[in-house]
Amino acid sequence: MKANPSAVFIFPSGEEQVRNADVAHPFRQESNLHYLSGFEEPESVLVLAPSTTQPGSHRFVLFVRRRDPERELWEGARYGVEGACSVFGAHEAFPIDEFDQRLPELLQGAEKVFYRLGRSAKSDERILKALEATRRALGRSGRGLLPIHDPGDPLGEMRLFKGEEEVALLRKASQITALAHKTAMIESRPGMNEFEIEALIDYAFRRNGCQRMGYGSIVAGGKNATCLHYTSNNEPLRDGELLLIDAGGEYGYYTSDISRTFPVGKRFSAPQAALYDLVLRSQKEAIEMSRPGVTLPAIHAHVCEVLVDGLLSLGLLAGQREELIKSGGHRRFFPHNTSHWLGMDVHDVGLYQQNGEPRALEPGMVFTIEPGLYVQPNDSAAPVEYRNIGIRIEDDILITATGCENLTKDAPKERSEIEALKG
Ligand code: GLY
Ligand code: MN
Ligand code: MN
């Protein structure tokens, strides 16, 4: 608002999605709307509009569902317009059914509009209609044409830097998620099904206060771990195989994102241990590197070097380290990136580059470090003992003034620690 004193910002909630008949899919508030207001109900719109009485400041306006005793009997209490002001601090609140009629008034005097087009045709139509009406009314006043900007860039920049309250929520989500992974390590054994472990993890999330998962859990035994986003989670776990779990609980709208890989039975086999130690070394060195001023591509480059050196010495790759990295030869075993921003969304918002250059890490940024190695079942060029193995180790890192904090360090990842938990 400070940077755009004469702009109107419009943030609609997501829409409840019908599953069938009168059953809806679970609703989660759109992240930007929640970030700015804390309001969780569907059928709402947040508008920040230049104040007409106090130039230079904005009005915080919420459009919300009307109170409705009949519907509230079935669906639970609503805040209504009073609650929108008294609980969420809106300067003004109106029933959502007055949105179309009131929006042109809120656009009066605005020089530009921030609104994300393309998410909902229904919402786009309403906003564009109001914009058109306002543009017509502007007539030949000589004022601009109310261009539409995407709020993603300024909001992304704000959300990229986590404040204290946000870090506290991420820390809590991470502690619960670490506990869930530890429980899975202890409880998993040959003969169980992937879905049983998925259920244990979900139970650990929910009973410790997470509202939901931050993304669909990946619970992948044996060769299933070589599929990067395996989510069927419905096959039996076998002795001698590894189990890769990538799961994160969401707490207060902030999600953790942890991957761990461990034996279904009691011990890593020698080829599993060789690959595991390699991934772990690259991951630990990447965390070691994480501090203000370093870039994510620099961290990724280091991970690639460590992995390629290891793959060369294990005989999974042949050739020259530099050549292999340049030609992408390592992507056969490590096809994804090392990091992504983390926050309200698992792949969080925020630009990865500034002026065409990778941006330097700064205090308050949170991201993952998640190297992996995956040897596909049909990779006939790979030594047979390594085929069907998929390993990923993922932690969540907060950049601090002097270095970093590993938010997910409570999830065991040393081979000796894991084997000790397996008894
Ligand atoms: N769970 C998705 C990811 O690790 O990026
Ligand atoms: Mn991740
Ligand atoms: Mn993950």
Side-chain angles (χ1 to χ4, degrees):
M1 293 189 291
K2 238 181 241 163
N4 298 283
S6 54
V8 170
F9 300 82
I10 305 172
F11 298 95
S13 69
E15 287 159 29
E16 269 192 309
Q17 301 296 314
V18 175
R19 181 175 149 174
N20 46 49
D22 54 357
V23 177
H25 284 286
F27 179 77
R28 179 189 185 272
Q29 188 57 281
E30 194 275 321
S31 292
N32 284 333
L33 175 47
H34 193 271
Y35 179 77
L36 291 168
S37 71
F39 197 69
E40 286 197 76
E41 291 182 21
E43 293 183 76
S44 54
V45 185
L46 162 66
V47 181
L48 302 166
S51 163
T52 43
T53 52
Q54 282 176 286
S57 68
H58 276 74
R59 301 147 77 186
F60 164 19
V61 185
L62 275 173
F63 288 87
V64 302
R65 299 182 299 189
R66 286 177 191 274
R67 301 286 316 262
D68 179 340
E70 169 69 12
R71 296 263 31 109
E72 289 179 52
L73 172 68
W74 289 89
E75 296 161 4
R78 299 176 173 186
Y79 284 103
V81 292
E82 283 92 37
C85 294
S86 63
V87 179
F88 296 92
H91 298 139
E92 296 156 78
F94 304 103
I96 187 71
D97 51 64
E98 293 178 9
F99 180 72
D100 293 344
Q101 164 207 332
R102 290 190 180 270
L103 185 57
E105 188 264 319
L106 289 163
L107 291 170
Q108 288 302 313
E111 283 172 11
K112 53 182 160 179
V113 174
F114 282 84
Y115 168 75
R116 163 69 54 94
L117 279 166
R119 256 197 204 153
S120 149
K122 208 165 92 190
S123 173
D124 288 358
E125 195 188 330
R126 300 173 89 173
I127 306 287
L128 293 175
K129 222 167 117 189
L131 273 179
E132 212 34 53
T134 308
R135 283 174 183 151
R136 267 201 305 276
L138 280 172
R140 296 182 192 162
S141 65
R143 303 245 312 279
L145 276 174
L146 273 180
I148 300 181
H149 296 256
D150 197 295
D153 288 348
L155 259 292
E157 200 58 23
M158 291 166 72
R159 282 172 51 188
L160 180 55
F161 294 90
K162 273 69 178 177
E164 259 174 55
E165 296 95 337
E166 296 177 281
V167 168
L169 294 170
L170 281 165
R171 218 176 255 131
K172 181 84 179 164
S174 294
Q175 283 161 357
I176 295 170
T177 301
L179 180 73
H181 278 263
K182 198 169 166 181
T183 305
M185 285 176 196
I186 293 168
E187 297 292 328
S188 58
R189 48 184 53 82
M192 287 175 90
N193 196 292
E194 291 166 348
F195 56 63
E196 293 178 68
I197 304 300
E198 182 183 20
L200 278 175
I201 288 171
D202 203 20
Y203 180 59
F205 288 167
R206 299 296 303 280
R207 77 186 296 250
N208 288 291
C210 287
Q211 290 83 0
R212 56 184 78 81
M213 308 172 195
Y215 53 92
S217 299
I218 297 168
V219 182
K223 69 167 179 6
N224 295 338
T226 63
C227 170
L228 298 178
H229 278 173
Y230 173 83
T231 47
S232 316
N233 303 351
N234 60 2
E235 290 197 20
L237 299 172
R238 282 174 282 266
D239 201 10
E241 293 184 338
L242 295 177
L243 175 56
L244 185 157
I245 298 179
D246 183 345
E250 182 184 297
Y251 188 90
Y253 276 78
Y254 286 78
T255 189
S256 184
D257 181 9
I258 300 183
S259 299
R260 288 292 184 266
T261 311
F262 53 86
V264 170
K266 289 188 185 298
R267 299 285 174 265
F268 287 85
S269 71
Q272 289 167 352
L275 288 181
Y276 187 87
D277 290 351
L278 179 53
V279 176
L280 184 59
R281 175 153 31 102
S282 74
Q283 206 248 7
K284 283 159 80 170
E285 288 186 18
I287 295 173
E288 201 64 35
M289 277 179 77
S290 300
R291 74 183 80 89
V294 174
T295 68
L296 293 181
I299 291 174
H300 180 62
H302 182 72
V303 164
C304 289
E305 285 170 16
V306 174
L307 292 180
V308 166
D309 283 347
L311 291 166
L312 285 168
S313 64
L314 292 174
L316 278 150
L317 285 177
Q320 274 285 318
R321 180 219 253 186
E322 271 67 37
E323 281 305 306
L324 283 164
I325 292 177
K326 222 165 90 195
S327 66
H330 61 293
R331 294 183 61 83
R332 183 170 134 220
F333 302 114
F334 178 38
H336 58 77
N337 228 316
T338 301
S339 301
H340 56 79
W341 304 132
L342 182 73
M344 301 184 83
D345 302 344
V346 62
H347 295 165
D348 208 27
V349 292
L351 298 177
Y352 287 87
Q353 299 202 344
Q354 272 177 331
N355 308 318
E357 295 288 325
R359 71 191 299 165
L361 294 172
E362 294 177 56
M365 291 175 167
V366 177
F367 58 95
T368 64
I369 294 189
E370 50 177 308
L373 286 175
Y374 316 86
V375 187
Q376 297 303 322
N378 61 0
D379 188 342
S380 51
V384 67
E385 66 269 29
Y386 293 118
R387 287 182 217 161
N388 298 310
I389 297 178
I391 293 165
R392 181 164 61 256
I393 306 172
E394 173 173 34
D395 281 310
D396 303 341
I397 305 301
L398 164 71
I399 294 294
T400 61
T402 53
C404 72
E405 176 185 335
N406 181 354
L407 299 171
T408 48
K409 60 182 175 320
D410 294 346
K413 65 182 176 185
E414 294 298 331
R415 214 151 42 80
S416 57
E417 236 181 317
I418 293 171
E419 290 184 339
L421 282 176
K422 293 295 235 169

